[in-house]
Amino acid sequence: MKLPFTTRSSLLKLAAGMSAFLILMAWTLNSVFPLPPLYPDGPATVVVSREGEVLRSFGDRQGVHRYNVTLPEVDPFYIEALLNYEDRWFYHHPGFNPFSILRAAFQWLIHGHVVSGGSTLTMQVARLLDPHERSVAGKFKQLWRALQLEWYYSKDEILTLYLNLAPFGGNIAGVEAAADRYFATSARHLTKNEAALLVVLPQKPSLYRPDRYPEVAKAMRNKVLSRLHDSGLLKAQAFQYLSQEPVELRQSDRVQLAPLLSRTLKQTYPDQHVITTTINDTIQQRVARLLVKVKRDLPVHSSAAVLVVDNQTTEILAYQGSVDFQDDSRFAHVDMTQAVRSPGSTLKPFIYGMAIDRGIIHTESLLSDIPFTFYDYKPQNLNGRFQGAVSVSEALKQSLNIPLIQVFNALGPDVFDAQMKQAGIQLDHEKANLTVGLGGTGTNLMTLASMYRSLAMSGQVSPLRVVKGGAQAVPVANEAQLLSKESSWMVFHMLSSISASDRVVPRVRREIAWKTGTSYGYRDFWSVGVSPGYTVAVWVGRPDATPVVGYLGATRAAPVMFDVFDQLPEEKRRVEQPETVIRKLICWPGGRAKSATVDEDCFNQKYAFTRNGLTPPTLESDGDFVRHDHWPESLSIWHQQRKIISQGHPELEIAIQSIKNGQHYYRSQIRQLKLESNKPASEVLWYINHQPYEQQQLLLADYSGEVVITACQGQQCDQRKIVIHR
């Protein structure tokens, strides 16, 4: 029968009114009782390598650990089994399944207790977000939260929340953390039995834990397998085979990697669930294993820090903030990649580079290594000796202090400081003065790595990146020119010609420009090297700044740096010489091109690398240029006083003469070895296995296996490796 128009109109108005009322009620309830935060106790952060391997995990405020994943990162069989066992109609119901709820209510009325649950996955997520009492009121609250979730989120998003929030026993939540905890694998690579067990474990995580109750866990796993078989998802033969397998647990043998970096990133990004770093898992593990060996040779309370940078991408590939994160006696929790310390001689290459850019010197300019007072500052060389006339390249390679200050004085500390700041590099001192050139300032390993990388990148400083996506690890401008492409290549060329005598047969042959540094008072030992592809920066010392007398950057940090380079892949590029770097024949003492020097004033000829062919005159000690191609006045006087011929040749580098590298010795055949070099014995410091050694004879009875013998004069060292047998 057709209703009268007025009746139909009234019914439509009533329906519209009821709809409006329900919408208003829903809006009011949603305003009064909004959804709680998805992670009410904050994120449980994991820091991972670029390959996705966990470096370190941090629990939320309740100490719960999880590793958030997305649906594509989880094994499809696990998803299929989960939906089949827990909620077959998940993608079709509005957040609750009325048939399941009615069935559960009827069974409860008949039996007086819960026989089967009526909760959908959405309702389980609702309970995890907002726990409730097991009562009728609590169930209604859960239903309301489920409806809210369905309103705000897609089905895939709700399922993802379950994957990351579900409890799996103890302080483990989420399927990824559970897969790692129980099976030492990822959720992407679960076996069918592992997946089935993890499907049922959240139902009663404390009772079904496979590490505590393996037989119960097996029975519940088989219940899931049986359900899958009944549903046609498992064939009979597969079901029989899988159900007979025992529950096999595996524990990961991985140790924490880059723990101090992880701590810093957790503090920097407190709301991130997963922080993906640029760390290369393989290289980081190699560096960590190397430092285990380094620790054995370090004095008590000493530590070490290492950075490895990919020059092309500016990404940090390895980050070791302390020598052993578990050893509190070595101040394990102090991150020495970030600590501000005196850099020793590590700034010298950049002072020379800036002086080249400003036309003050070229690579073979004559410098005066003689006693001299610059205003009220009187620098000394580390070995207390003077060489007289010395070239820029030799002064840099031997790390001589007085020639460096001569150039620094001519350049100007303020100019150096301003150019560093313009490149985004802030050194730690109140006012720039000449002491900055010899370490009278503060910086850290991160900054030094950024600076040395520029030597292989045409002088450009760029931000070092440690987080995938572009987060910076060191505060420098986006890209700035620290040195010109010409001077950066010249400095790279000079530093790469320094011999590393202990590298007899490196795993990968590569060109490495490197420099060491020892801070005032023997508190910090540095070595920074740059190859075409990589930069490696090493710090060794005591984090509490206690002196370690008798060590040098060359003997303590440099061997570690070269060992790290041996862990790196082969080079894929070269540092190309710019066309504007021109090799010119120059004359001493004037320093100018031979073509611009009269023959009677050309006492000594050298080939120098120049910027666009510019050959500036030789510097006087006070910073002025010499006139008429004469010897610097103070240098000439010093030579005359010592009756040294002005054209004197540079001294030979120190070399061990009494021992051959790689030689095997047997204690039954020889008792001791002489320790002799090409330098006077009074000027040489000897080290055995990087420990100071004061005798002139090496007693073989005190050693066994591989022994490293080092002889040093100033910062120049030579090294031999031998093997001693019983």
Side-chain angles (χ1 to χ4, degrees):
M1 183 179 69
K2 189 175 182 180
L3 292 173
F5 176 78
T6 54
T7 303
R8 282 185 287 145
S9 177
S10 298
L11 289 174
L12 288 172
K13 288 181 180 179
L14 178 62
M18 288 295 294
S19 299
F21 175 75
L22 290 174
I23 292 173
L24 179 63
M25 284 292 296
W27 181 85
T28 302
L29 283 172
N30 189 58
S31 301
V32 176
F33 302 106
L35 269 174
L38 297 183
Y39 297 91
D41 295 308
T45 302
V46 289
V47 182
V48 301
S49 68
R50 63 173 63 205
E51 299 86 1
E53 297 290 342
V54 176
L55 301 178
R56 189 177 180 185
S57 174
F58 298 88
D60 63 16
R61 286 191 290 271
Q62 297 298 323
V64 174
H65 287 256
R66 68 173 64 86
Y67 182 170
N68 277 28
V69 290
T70 60
L71 279 177
E73 295 172 321
V74 179
D75 173 49
F77 181 80
Y78 172 82
I79 301 295
E80 191 175 32
L82 174 67
L83 294 175
N84 182 271
Y85 188 78
E86 286 285 356
D87 193 351
R88 295 185 183 184
W89 302 100
F90 173 74
Y91 279 99
H92 305 285
H93 60 62
F96 63 93
N97 189 329
F99 300 104
S100 297
I101 291 177
L102 289 174
R103 183 190 67 232
F106 179 76
Q107 291 173 337
W108 176 66
L109 288 172
I110 295 297
H111 298 282
H113 60 86
V114 175
V115 176
S116 65
S119 294
T120 63
L121 286 177
T122 307
M123 293 172 67
Q124 292 182 50
V125 172
R127 187 177 66 248
L128 292 169
L129 292 178
D130 191 4
H132 61 80
E133 297 178 355
R134 298 180 66 86
S135 64
V136 174
K139 183 59 69 173
F140 276 113
K141 177 183 177 182
Q142 185 183 20
L143 285 170
W144 167 246
R145 293 301 191 203
L147 290 171
Q148 285 180 298
L149 284 169
E150 294 283 347
W151 177 262
Y152 281 106
Y153 299 102
S154 69
K155 287 291 187 179
D156 283 353
E157 288 173 330
I158 294 171
L159 182 55
T160 301
L161 284 172
Y162 178 85
L163 296 177
N164 293 316
L165 287 170
F168 285 88
N171 64 343
I172 300 299
V175 65
E176 180 70 16
D180 180 71
R181 169 65 178 80
Y182 295 117
F183 307 117
T185 188
S186 68
R188 189 194 302 270
H189 300 117
L190 291 169
T191 66
K192 284 183 169 58
N193 262 340
E194 292 166 352
L197 178 54
L198 294 186
V199 163
V200 73
L201 185 53
Q203 285 191 348
K204 294 182 179 180
S206 60
L207 298 180
Y208 298 165
R209 281 182 61 169
D211 56 339
R212 293 184 178 178
Y213 313 106
E215 292 305 317
V216 175
K218 179 181 178 181
M220 296 309 299
R221 179 204 68 188
N222 288 350
K223 182 179 178 182
V224 176
L225 294 174
S226 177
R227 181 82 62 84
L228 296 175
H229 171 254
D230 294 341
S231 301
L233 298 178
L234 270 184
K235 294 182 179 180
Q237 185 177 3
F239 168 65
Q240 291 297 328
Y241 175 76
L242 291 172
S243 60
Q244 292 174 10
E245 281 190 352
V247 173
E248 294 184 356
L249 303 181
R250 295 184 299 276
Q251 283 195 335
S252 174
D253 56 358
R254 289 179 60 86
V255 297
Q256 280 189 347
L257 295 176
L260 293 174
L261 169 64
S262 300
R263 182 186 68 186
T264 298
L265 293 178
K266 170 62 175 174
Q267 295 168 348
T268 305
Y269 306 101
D271 298 324
Q272 290 275 12
H273 294 279
V274 180
I275 302 174
T276 303
T277 70
T278 62
I279 296 299
N280 181 295
D281 190 69
T282 300
I283 295 175
Q284 182 68 45
Q285 289 195 57
R286 289 175 178 175
V287 170
R289 285 195 295 267
L290 174 63
L291 286 197
V292 171
K293 299 178 182 178
V294 169
K295 176 185 171 182
R296 299 171 190 161
D297 296 330
L298 289 179
V300 294
H301 308 308
S302 294
S303 187
V306 175
L307 285 173
V308 179
V309 178
D310 184 316
N311 292 339
Q312 286 283 84
T313 65
T314 72
E315 293 179 343
I316 296 175
L317 303 180
Y319 184 117
Q320 193 80 14
S322 64
V323 73
D324 183 356
F325 186 65
Q326 306 300 325
D327 190 346
D328 289 336
S329 71
R330 298 180 182 274
F331 308 92
H333 295 269
V334 179
D335 188 348
M336 296 309 298
T337 68
Q338 306 281 357
V340 175
R341 310 293 285 247
S342 164
S345 298
T346 57
L347 299 181
K348 289 178 178 178
F350 303 94
I351 293 173
Y352 284 122
M354 290 183 192
I356 290 171
D357 285 338
R358 291 184 175 264
I360 298 172
I361 57 173
H362 50 66
T363 61
E364 297 302 318
S365 290
L366 186 153
L367 299 177
S368 301
D369 184 25
I370 61 175
F372 195 83
T373 300
F374 299 88
Y375 308 108
D376 57 348
Y377 182 48
K378 189 173 184 178
Q380 297 289 327
N381 290 325
L382 189 63
N383 59 12
R385 299 170 58 247
F386 308 98
Q387 296 191 25
V390 64
S391 67
V392 166
S393 60
E394 281 302 313
L396 176 57
K397 287 188 280 188
Q398 296 185 44
S399 197
L400 300 176
N401 291 341
I402 298 171
L404 182 281
I405 296 301
Q406 179 189 4
V407 173
F408 197 28
N409 181 50
L411 173 68
D414 291 336
V415 171
F416 174 78
D417 206 39
Q419 189 160 334
M420 294 287 279
K421 290 178 180 177
Q422 188 176 353
I425 298 170
Q426 180 69 54
L427 300 176
D428 188 16
H429 52 252
E430 292 184 3
K431 181 175 174 55
N433 54 41
L434 292 176
T435 65
V436 169
L438 301 183
T441 184
T443 189
N444 60 35
L445 203 62
M446 297 285 285
T447 301
L448 287 176
S450 177
M451 291 170 61
Y452 272 80
R453 172 192 164 273
S454 71
L455 298 179
M457 302 302 296
S458 299
Q460 289 185 335
V461 176
S462 299
L464 300 186
R465 297 190 298 122
V466 73
V467 175
K468 281 291 187 181
Q472 291 179 207
V474 60
V476 296
N478 283 336
E479 192 170 272
Q481 202 73 33
L482 179 59
L483 299 176
S484 70
K485 62 182 180 181
E486 295 88 1
S487 66
S488 62
W489 181 88
M490 291 184 223
V491 171
F492 182 93
H493 178 76
M494 289 188 285
L495 292 179
S496 63
S497 64
I498 302 175
S499 62
S501 55
D502 63 322
R503 317 315 297 170
V504 183
V505 184
R507 189 181 68 85
V508 176
R509 295 188 181 276
R510 70 183 87 229
E511 187 178 21
I512 301 173
W514 61 290
K515 183 73 182 74
T516 62
T518 304
S519 69
Y520 178 77
Y522 300 95
R523 291 176 170 84
D524 306 277
F525 311 100
W526 310 83
S527 186
V528 191
V530 54
S531 69
Y534 304 97
T535 298
V536 175
V538 174
W539 172 92
V540 177
R542 285 189 51 156
D544 64 352
T546 299
V548 186
V549 180
Y551 295 114
L552 300 169
T555 60
R556 179 53 65 191
V560 180
M561 181 198 72
F562 281 110
D563 285 344
V564 173
F565 266 115
D566 279 350
Q567 310 303 313
L568 303 181
E570 295 185 15
E571 303 287 332
K572 296 181 180 180
R573 61 185 296 268
R574 296 184 60 185
V575 178
E576 300 292 344
Q577 178 179 338
E579 293 181 358
T580 46
V581 172
I582 300 173
R583 192 165 180 255
K584 299 274 288 190
L585 186 63
I586 63 98
C587 289
W588 274 13
R592 298 190 301 150
K594 185 179 186 305
S595 58
T597 307
V598 297
D599 290 343
E600 56 265 30
D601 291 334
C602 190
F603 291 95
N604 199 348
Q605 300 179 25
K606 292 178 177 290
Y607 278 101
F609 287 107
T610 68
R611 189 181 184 196
N612 293 309
L614 181 65
T615 55
T618 296
L619 287 173
E620 295 278 5
S621 291
D622 61 7
D624 290 335
F625 290 116
V626 299
R627 298 182 180 182
H628 311 300
D629 294 327
H630 292 168
W631 290 94
E633 183 179 357
S634 54
L635 178 62
S636 179
I637 294 173
W638 187 83
H639 279 166
Q640 291 172 11
Q641 289 175 343
R642 284 153 183 78
K643 297 180 181 179
I644 297 176
I645 300 175
S646 294
Q647 313 94 293
H649 299 288
E651 294 188 15
L652 296 174
E653 293 183 357
I654 186 171
I656 297 174
Q657 296 179 322
S658 57
I659 298 171
K660 291 184 178 181
N661 204 48
Q663 185 72 44
H664 290 247
Y665 295 94
Y666 294 84
R667 295 193 300 209
S668 59
Q669 300 175 2
I670 187 171
R671 294 181 57 252
Q672 58 190 24
L673 296 174
K674 288 185 178 181
L675 298 179
E676 294 179 341
S677 73
N678 62 339
K679 299 293 183 179
S682 60
E683 299 175 5
V684 178
L685 297 176
W686 290 91
Y687 299 85
I688 306 299
N689 290 337
H690 310 297
Q691 303 292 330
Y693 195 81
E694 297 182 356
Q695 302 180 52
Q696 298 301 309
Q697 306 281 343
L698 176 64
L699 301 178
L700 270 61
D702 297 335
Y703 299 93
S704 180
E706 186 177 83
V707 177
V708 180
I709 302 170
T710 308
C712 293
Q713 181 191 45
Q715 288 204 9
Q716 290 294 307
C717 298
D718 189 24
Q719 197 167 87
R720 301 285 186 271
K721 284 186 178 180
I722 63 173
V723 180
I724 298 176
H725 301 275
R726 294 181 178 178

